[in-house]
Amino acid sequence: MTDLPVQDTSPTFLGMPSFQRSAKVALADTQQRRNLAHATATIRAKRAAAVGEVEGWEDLRLAGAAAKDEALHHLPDYLEQLEAALTARGATVHWARDAAEANRVVVDLARAKGADEVVKVKSMATQEIELNETLEAAGIAAWETDLAELIVQLGEDRPSHILVPAIHRNRAEIREIFARRMGTVGRAAPADLTDEPERLAEAARLHLREKFLRARVAVTGANFAVADTGTLVVVESEGNGRMCLTLPETLITVVGIEKVLPTFADLATMLQLLPRSSTGERMNPYTSMWTGVTPGDGPQEVHVVLLDSGRSRVLADEAGREALRCIRCSACLNVCPVYERTGGHAYGSVYPGPIGAVLNPLLRGTSSEVDRSLPYASSLCGACFEACPVRIDIPSLLVRLRTQVVDEASGRSAEAASMKAAAWMFGDHRRLEAAQRAVTLGGRLLGGRTIRSLPGLGAWTQARDVPSPPTETFRQWWARTHGDDAPHTSEETP
Amino acid sequence: MSSREEILGRLRAATGDVTSRPGDRGPVPVIAATGESAQATLDLFVATVADYRASVVRCTPEQVGAEVAAALVRARAHTVLVPPGLDTSWVARARDAGLRLRTDEGEDGGPLTAQELDGIDAVVTAARVAVATTGTIVLDHAPDQGRRALTLVPDQHVCVVRADQVVHDVPDAVALLDPARPLTWVSGPSATSDIELDRVEGVHGPRTLDVIVVG
Ligand code: SF4
C-alpha cells in the first residue's frame, strides 16, 4: 500500500456502523423503499431508452474511459496545464491538500468579500469536504439552490442519491418541509401550497430568486475541468447553476483533481455519455462552460480550488485508480439491486451505491467499520460495470478490496475467523464472478437458488431477510421489481 | 513546501509506474452520428426540440418578425429585452404590436442590474450553433445573444436559429465552438425531476422556450 494520506472521515460519518447494520434499519423503512424502487425503476427505463438511441455507445464508453485515463495517468502535467490556462484567463488557482485546507480557502475568500452568505450549486466535492458546515461555523450562510438539495437542507437531512439527493422524500413530505421551514430562512412558501410538483417547484423558484438576485459570492463544483483551455463545465437541469455562475460578482469553484479532461474536444464524448447515463435524457436542460473571467459578462472575480483529499492515494493504487474516472452519473446506483433496497445513507459517505462501495474504502482506507464493510455491499452481479459510461470495473475492484480487508484482518481481530471464511470463498475470484454474472445475464444458471445462498453475503442477507418474504428467490424478486424485463440484455454488454 | 508542490509531488509519485507520455493516445476520437441529408438533420432537430416541450416553428426569413411577435404574445410578455447585436427586424412586429422593447441599459446608464432584469418578461436572441440529435441550442453570448444574464433571468426565451446553424451531432458543435467564450447549452426549458421524478418545467431558468428555425 501507498503511504500517501487517506481522506479524513468527516465528523458526520465518524463511527458509522457497518453497511450491513445500517442497511437493516433502512430496509425496515417501507416509505423509503417504495420511493427508491419507483425512482430507480423510472430512471433505469429512461436511461435504457436514451442509450439505445446511440449507435456508437460502446465506442463512446471506450473513448470516455480513454480520455479519463489519459488525464489520470498524466495528472500532474494536466493540472499544471489547467492552472496555466486558468491563470492566463484571469482566474486565481488554489491548491488544497485536504478538506480543511479547501474549506479554509473558501471561508477566507468569502470573508474577504465581506459576504455573510453564499449561494451554492449541488456539488459532490463541497459535500465531501462539508463546506456548508464550515461556512455556517464561520457565520456565513450557505444556501443550497438545487431543488433536491434545498429539500435536504431545509429538512435537516442528508442526501441519499448522487443525482436525486431527495429521492427518499415524497411530495407530501416535501410540501410539509417547505411550508414549515422556508419562512425561517427567507421568503416563506405560499400559504395555499399543495403537494403538486408544479406548485412545489414554483415555491422553490420564488424562495431562491430572492437569494440569487442579492448574492455576491457563489460556490460551485464542476463536472469537468479542461486542461488545454482552462474551461470549467457545469451540467445541470434547473438553471440554478446558471444563476450562481452568472449573477454574483465572485465565483469560487471547488474541483476534485480527478475532474480534469485533457482537451476541449474530449467534451464531445463526455457530453454524450453523461446526460444519457445520468438522467436518461438526450441532453440535460443546461450546460454552462466558462473560461476564467469574461469582461462584462458574469463574475469578474473567479477562483478555482483544486482538491486532493485522498485522491492522490487512490491514484497510486494501480488497480484502484480507475475508480477516479467516475463522472458521478449515478447510473451504477440505479441498476444496483442492493442500492435499490437500502438507499444511500447506509454507505456512510456522500458517495453511495456501487461506486461508493469502491471509492470510500479507497479514499479513506479500511480502518473504520463502515469502510471495511462496504466491499461486501454488493452481490457482484456486474450490472454496475455494464451501465458505467467510463467502464469502471466495479465488481473486480470490490473483490480486490474484499481480499485487502481480509488480509488486513487475518489473525489480528475477532473478525478474523469470518474474514478467513470470506477469503476462502473469494479465493477464486474468477469462478465466483463468472457464476454471479451469469445470474444477471441469464437469470437461469442458478435456477431456484436464492440470493441468500450466494457465498460471502452472510451479513448482508441477514439484514435483508427482515422485511423480505423469506422464500423469495432472486428470480422472483427480479421479476417482481423489474417486470418481465430480462436483466441486462441491453446492447451495452461489452 | 506549498500545497501546490506537495500535491504535484504526491501525484508524480502516484503515477511513477506510468511509462507513456501525455498525448501518446493520439488524436481524440470523434464519435458522432451523421445525418442522411441536411433536410433530415433539420427535421430531427425540430423533433428533438419539441420533445422537450419547447415550442418550435419553422419559417422563411420574411416571417421571423411575425413568429417572434406571435411567441411573445402567446406567453403574454409585455417587456422584451433586445441584445445589442440583434437583427432589429426580428422584433419590429413585436414593437408594432405594443410590446415594450428594452436594451441592456439600466437606470444608472450601466448594464441592467439583476433586479432590473427580473422585471423583464422575455428576451429574443440568435444562437451560435444547434444540435439535431439532442435538440440543443448553444449560445456563445456574442452581441446577437447578449451576456449570459440576459437569457437567464427573464421568464421567456425566444431563440432564432438559422437552418445552416443546425449540425447533426454533439461533436460537430464542439468543433465549432470557441472555448474562450462563455458557452450555454440549452436543451428545452428549465426543468427538475427532483420531486418523485416527475419532470416539472421551469424552476429557475426561463420557463418558456420558443425556438424559431429560419430557412
Ligand atoms: S462509477 Fe460509472 S456508473 Fe457509477 S457514477 Fe461513476 S461514472 Fe457513473
Side-chain angles (χ1 to χ4, degrees):
Chain A
M1 273 321 297
T2 159
D3 53 2
L4 291 171
V6 296
Q7 178 179 103
D8 292 333
T9 301
S10 66
T12 310
F13 297 115
L14 266 184
M16 265 293 284
S18 74
F19 175 84
Q20 287 76 10
R21 280 205 276 148
S22 305
K24 190 169 177 169
V25 177
L27 284 165
D29 184 341
T30 331
Q31 177 69 59
Q32 165 167 305
R33 290 183 65 204
R34 206 178 294 134
N35 292 358
L36 272 169
H38 168 64
T40 52
T42 307
I43 309 185
R44 270 199 304 275
K46 280 182 71 186
R47 175 191 163 276
V51 165
E53 274 184 8
V54 181
E55 232 174 84
W57 187 254
E58 285 310 313
D59 292 333
L60 282 171
R61 287 179 77 208
L62 287 166
K68 294 295 287 194
D69 277 349
E70 169 72 14
L72 292 168
H73 290 170
H74 308 286
L75 198 51
D77 302 280
Y78 284 117
L79 282 172
E80 285 183 299
Q81 197 186 359
L82 173 69
E83 180 188 42
L86 281 166
T87 310
R89 292 276 309 188
T92 308
V93 176
H94 310 259
W95 299 72
R97 285 166 292 198
D98 50 30
E101 194 167 13
N103 284 329
R104 201 154 53 234
V105 169
V106 178
V107 168
D108 287 350
L109 288 170
R111 281 211 176 118
K113 295 279 112 191
D116 58 5
E117 63 175 6
V118 302
V119 284
K120 280 201 65 218
V121 188
K122 177 171 90 172
S123 144
M124 303 292 303
T126 57
Q127 246 167 52
E128 174 193 310
I129 63 176
E130 306 210 322
L131 176 64
N132 290 6
E133 290 80 349
T134 314
L135 284 166
E136 303 283 350
I140 300 163
W143 306 118
E144 288 294 353
T145 61
D146 188 272
L147 180 52
E149 294 292 329
L150 178 73
I151 296 166
V152 168
Q153 189 177 45
L154 290 177
E156 294 172 327
D157 199 355
R158 299 215 54 89
S160 63
H161 189 284
I162 295 177
L163 180 71
V164 204
I167 206 166
H168 59 294
R169 294 286 196 187
N170 65 19
R171 63 183 74 188
E173 292 174 293
I174 295 168
R175 195 209 75 86
E176 190 276 322
I177 290 168
F178 279 9
R180 182 165 49 85
R181 295 273 296 136
M182 272 183 173
T184 64
V185 292
R187 180 166 173 164
D192 60 346
L193 185 66
T194 69
D195 64 5
E196 287 161 75
E198 290 75 14
R199 295 292 316 278
L200 295 171
E202 167 83 14
R205 178 183 173 96
L206 294 170
H207 178 78
L208 286 172
R209 184 146 293 217
E210 172 189 80
K211 294 189 160 65
F212 287 133
L213 295 181
R214 69 168 188 235
R216 291 162 54 210
V217 177
V219 181
T220 76
N223 294 87
F224 305 105
V226 181
D228 70 340
T229 59
T231 305
L232 298 179
V233 183
V234 163
V235 174
E236 54 137 352
S237 293
E238 297 170 15
N240 59 311
R242 293 176 70 191
M243 290 281 176
C244 291
L245 297 170
T246 308
L247 297 183
E249 298 149 21
T250 301
L251 173 61
I252 307 167
T253 304
V254 181
V255 192
I257 50 178
E258 83 285 11
K259 296 288 178 201
V260 175
L261 277 184
T263 69
F264 192 76
D266 288 307
L267 287 174
T269 304
M270 294 304 175
L271 291 182
Q272 293 182 78
L273 287 170
L274 179 54
R276 291 183 195 262
S277 298
S278 68
T279 49
E281 293 170 295
R282 297 188 178 109
M283 193 61 90
N284 49 292
Y286 300 130
T287 296
S288 296
M289 304 180 182
W290 74 104
T291 305
V293 175
T294 303
D297 188 344
Q300 296 300 295
E301 190 174 330
V302 171
H303 296 270
V304 180
V305 184
L306 299 173
L307 174 72
D308 181 348
S309 193
R311 288 159 175 80
S312 52
R313 183 175 187 276
V314 183
L315 189 66
D317 182 334
E318 285 176 41
R321 69 168 61 126
E322 75 176 85
L324 293 177
R325 286 187 210 141
C326 176
I327 55 174
R328 315 274 188 259
C329 72
S330 72
C332 58
L333 280 64
N334 299 323
V335 299
C336 179
V338 175
Y339 174 83
E340 183 181 60
R341 310 185 123 215
T342 61
H345 293 142
Y347 292 83
S349 154
V350 299
Y351 303 110
I355 185 59
V358 168
L359 204 50
N360 297 317
L362 286 171
L363 282 167
R364 304 193 296 211
T366 46
S367 60
S368 75
E369 189 183 348
V370 64
D371 288 325
R372 270 196 306 277
S373 71
L374 282 176
Y376 294 89
S378 168
S379 64
L380 300 181
C381 73
C384 47
F385 171 63
E386 286 165 38
C388 179
V390 287
R391 296 177 58 91
I392 300 172
D393 189 351
I394 295 174
S396 296
L397 291 173
L398 287 171
V399 169
R400 213 181 52 86
L401 281 165
R402 288 180 185 186
T403 312
Q404 183 189 320
V405 167
V406 170
D407 287 350
E408 284 169 5
S410 57
R412 280 195 282 112
S413 71
E415 291 153 349
S418 65
M419 291 299 183
K420 275 187 185 143
W424 175 79
M425 284 183 278
F426 287 96
D428 188 345
H429 304 163
R430 240 177 291 264
R431 193 183 57 201
L432 181 71
E433 268 179 87
Q436 287 172 331
R437 285 193 188 195
V439 175
T440 34
L441 287 171
R444 276 181 289 272
L445 188 74
L446 296 182
R449 275 179 78 181
T450 64
I451 188 173
R452 64 183 63 73
S453 69
L454 286 175
L457 297 174
W460 160 238
T461 51
Q462 258 171 18
R464 79 178 268 292
D465 277 350
V466 179
S468 314
T471 56
E472 189 182 41
T473 66
F474 181 78
R475 291 185 64 193
Q476 288 162 343
W477 165 76
W478 190 278
R480 178 171 59 77
T481 52
H482 299 72
D484 287 336
D485 280 3
H488 314 297
T489 50
S490 72
E491 65 297 327
E492 295 141 64
T493 311
Chain B
M1 194 171 13
S2 73
S3 303
R4 179 183 189 278
E5 292 318 310
E6 189 173 333
I7 292 171
L8 288 171
R10 286 176 185 173
L11 296 175
R12 283 200 192 89
T15 52
D17 62 300
V18 174
T19 51
S20 64
R21 282 171 323 180
D24 277 359
R25 68 171 170 155
V28 176
V30 178
I31 299 152
T34 46
E36 277 164 28
S37 64
Q39 190 55 47
T41 295
L42 214 50
D43 290 343
L44 179 61
F45 176 67
V46 170
T48 49
V49 172
D51 251 14
Y52 293 122
R53 295 183 233 177
S55 97
V56 52
V57 294
R58 296 177 66 171
C59 69
T60 64
E62 294 72 37
Q63 294 166 330
V64 174
E67 290 295 345
V68 167
L72 293 168
V73 168
R74 206 165 43 232
R76 298 194 179 82
H78 298 291
T79 46
V80 185
L81 193 53
V82 180
L86 195 81
D87 182 338
T88 48
S89 73
W90 292 356
V91 286
R93 283 287 287 275
R95 188 192 47 224
D96 295 346
L99 280 90
R100 184 158 163 247
L101 305 190
R102 293 283 305 267
T103 57
D104 185 13
E105 195 181 318
E107 293 272 304
D108 61 356
L112 293 164
T113 63
Q115 309 283 350
E116 286 170 324
L117 276 173
D118 197 33
I120 294 175
D121 299 325
V123 60
V124 179
T125 73
R128 173 71 188 88
V129 63
V131 185
T133 53
T134 59
T136 303
I137 48 181
V138 187
L139 310 176
D140 70 357
H141 303 283
D144 58 0
Q145 302 144 55
R147 62 191 172 98
R148 283 172 285 174
L150 304 196
T151 33
L152 174 62
V153 183
D155 208 4
Q156 181 184 19
H157 180 191
V158 180
C159 187
V160 181
V161 180
R162 290 196 323 265
D164 65 6
Q165 290 181 310
V166 180
V167 298
H168 196 76
D169 208 349
V170 172
D172 308 317
V174 170
L176 287 174
L177 295 170
D178 175 4
R181 302 196 63 85
L183 301 167
T184 307
W185 296 54
V186 178
S187 308
S190 151
T192 183
S193 301
D194 282 343
I195 302 162
E196 295 182 9
L197 295 166
D198 278 354
R199 186 177 161 119
V200 180
E201 264 72 41
V203 193
H204 304 296
R207 287 185 279 194
T208 307
L209 174 67
D210 295 278
V211 179
I212 298 170
V213 185
V214 189

